[in-house]
Amino acid sequence: MAKITAAEVNKLRKATGAGMMDCKKALVEAEGDFDKAIEVLRKKGQKVAAKRSDRDSSEGAAVVKINADNTTGVAISLNCETDFVAKNDSFVALANEIADLAINFENKEDLLAADFNGISVQEKLIEQTGVIGEKIEIGGFSKLSAPFVGSYVHGNKIAALVGLSANVNNSDVLAKDLSMQIASMGATTLSYKDFEPSFVAAETEARIAAIEKDNIELGRLGKTLKNVPQYISMSQLSEDVLAKAQEDAKAELKAEGKPEKIWDKILPGKLERFISDNTTLDQEQCLLDQNFIKDEKKSVAEYVKSYGDVSVTTFSRVSLG
């Protein structure tokens, strides 16, 4: 058998990312044949992947790629088992390489079948499972297009994309701020108008029951009870509901002995508080209805409006864990 040189081992290491000893063993097994040695390492990866298929891969790197004219973006997460691997420069580099490919495909399945230097992305992941010794897989995949697309990545753990209806002055700033909002607050839909009535009704019942249960324990401990809302979404606050809330507020002011001539100054604040207390679902799940994280005195919708004739058309969020 031909002697295995250090140069051959190093060449295989650069081609596969495997450790020096693993490369040397593969070359020895392949009797110096470079292509066969690569196949040896891939088979090792398949064996390791099979053994670790049921492992939890909740660590990794979330990355985004935007095309040159800012009209298409993709967010993916490359998942692994430990934070130690997730922080490795070569692992993050692999995540970015795969994201560069991902922007050309519409879904995760097509991406996994795509060519990655002569093998499929799926085969590359299996190969790297053998190299690293941990389960490696693509977790999240999201792609969107719009007249302007922006993004934000938080600590390599959360990647957010947002699409705007137009490329206006400082679109990049607006899109980044919105993406930060999405990453931080985890909205699931644009507006309360997107909710199905049956979902809101079921969620209302569940939330009220949970608060009432908590209040039993708080009462037992002598602590302040939580407010039990009548509603949880703006979709429930009809004109009649808001009119009644205003009448109730007037009755409260009258009972407190407040002069009627100052009611007009107090009522807007009370109605605003009523709406805030009864739209918790919107504030949690609806991007445009959330308080803007950089200025909680305004909603996200109000912040977007400050940029002129532009609106949010779509958004997505990919996260680890």
Side-chain angles (χ1 to χ4, degrees):
M1 184 190 74
K3 182 180 178 181
I4 306 301
T5 67
E8 290 171 325
V9 173
N10 192 47
K11 180 183 176 183
L12 184 59
R13 183 189 67 79
K14 287 182 178 179
T16 64
M20 295 292 282
M21 288 305 298
D22 286 336
C23 289
K24 184 175 181 179
K25 289 177 181 178
L27 282 165
V28 170
E29 184 176 335
E31 298 181 341
D33 187 304
F34 186 80
D35 291 334
K36 286 184 179 179
I38 289 177
E39 189 61 30
V40 168
L41 289 172
R42 285 179 187 159
K43 287 181 179 179
K44 178 190 174 187
Q46 290 170 354
K47 291 177 182 178
V48 175
K51 289 179 180 178
R52 305 190 76 82
S53 62
D54 61 346
R55 295 295 186 103
D56 180 29
S57 58
S58 58
E59 296 292 341
V63 295
V64 298
K65 296 293 174 180
I66 307 290
N67 67 353
D69 60 1
N70 287 92
T71 57
T72 299
V74 67
I76 70 162
S77 66
L78 183 63
N79 293 29
C80 59
E81 296 177 32
T82 66
D83 189 50
F84 176 78
V85 168
K87 291 180 177 178
N88 186 279
D89 288 344
S90 62
F91 180 86
V92 175
L94 176 62
N96 278 281
E97 285 184 78
I98 293 174
D100 285 335
L101 278 176
I103 202 163
N104 301 306
F105 298 93
E106 299 304 314
N107 54 60
K108 183 165 69 173
E109 290 70 28
D110 288 346
L111 172 60
L112 289 171
D115 178 75
F116 190 103
N117 298 328
I119 60 175
S120 70
V121 171
Q122 180 65 64
E123 288 170 330
K124 182 65 178 179
L125 297 181
I126 292 172
E127 174 190 280
Q128 290 303 296
T129 294
V131 169
I132 296 170
E134 289 191 6
K135 181 180 180 180
I136 308 295
E137 63 180 351
I138 294 174
F141 177 104
S142 181
K143 184 178 180 181
L144 57 83
S145 296
F148 188 90
V149 175
S151 66
Y152 173 74
V153 178
H154 180 72
N156 279 0
K157 300 296 183 183
I158 304 172
L161 294 167
V162 66
L164 304 179
S165 63
N167 187 354
V168 296
N169 188 36
N170 292 323
S171 284
D172 56 335
V173 177
L174 172 60
K176 183 177 180 181
D177 283 345
L178 292 173
S179 297
M180 289 176 67
Q181 178 87 25
I182 294 159
S184 175
M185 303 305 293
T188 60
T189 190
L190 267 177
S191 165
Y192 69 87
K193 297 174 183 178
D194 299 328
F195 288 139
E196 291 290 336
S198 57
F199 168 73
V200 177
E203 191 69 16
T204 302
E205 185 178 343
R207 288 183 180 223
I208 290 175
I211 292 172
E212 289 176 340
K213 182 179 179 181
D214 288 345
N215 280 345
I216 292 174
E217 180 64 14
L218 291 172
R220 188 184 69 80
L221 297 172
K223 295 184 178 181
T224 303
L225 302 184
K226 296 179 181 179
N227 175 60
V228 180
Q230 293 174 264
Y231 310 101
I232 63 169
S233 174
M234 194 68 194
S235 62
Q236 298 168 304
L237 304 187
S238 64
E239 289 184 10
D240 289 344
V241 169
L242 292 175
K244 183 178 185 305
Q246 183 158 305
E247 290 305 312
D248 290 344
K250 287 179 180 179
E252 185 179 312
L253 292 174
K254 184 175 182 180
E256 292 172 354
K258 295 286 194 303
E260 192 169 343
K261 62 182 180 181
I262 68 168
W263 285 7
D264 287 346
K265 296 180 180 180
I266 302 173
L267 283 172
K270 282 189 170 292
L271 193 59
E272 186 177 318
R273 176 61 184 272
F274 174 82
I275 292 173
S276 178
D277 287 345
N278 289 278
T279 55
T280 54
L281 178 64
D282 304 348
Q283 293 165 34
E284 289 175 13
Q285 296 194 24
C286 305
L287 176 61
L288 297 177
D289 303 312
Q290 291 177 340
N291 292 330
F292 181 44
I293 56 174
K294 287 190 171 182
D295 182 0
E296 293 197 350
K297 292 180 180 179
K298 63 177 66 172
S299 69
V300 171
E302 290 169 333
Y303 174 64
V304 174
K305 192 174 181 180
S306 71
Y307 279 79
D309 189 17
V310 63
S311 60
V312 181
T313 60
T314 184
F315 71 92
S316 63
R317 182 178 187 270
V318 168
S319 64
L320 293 155

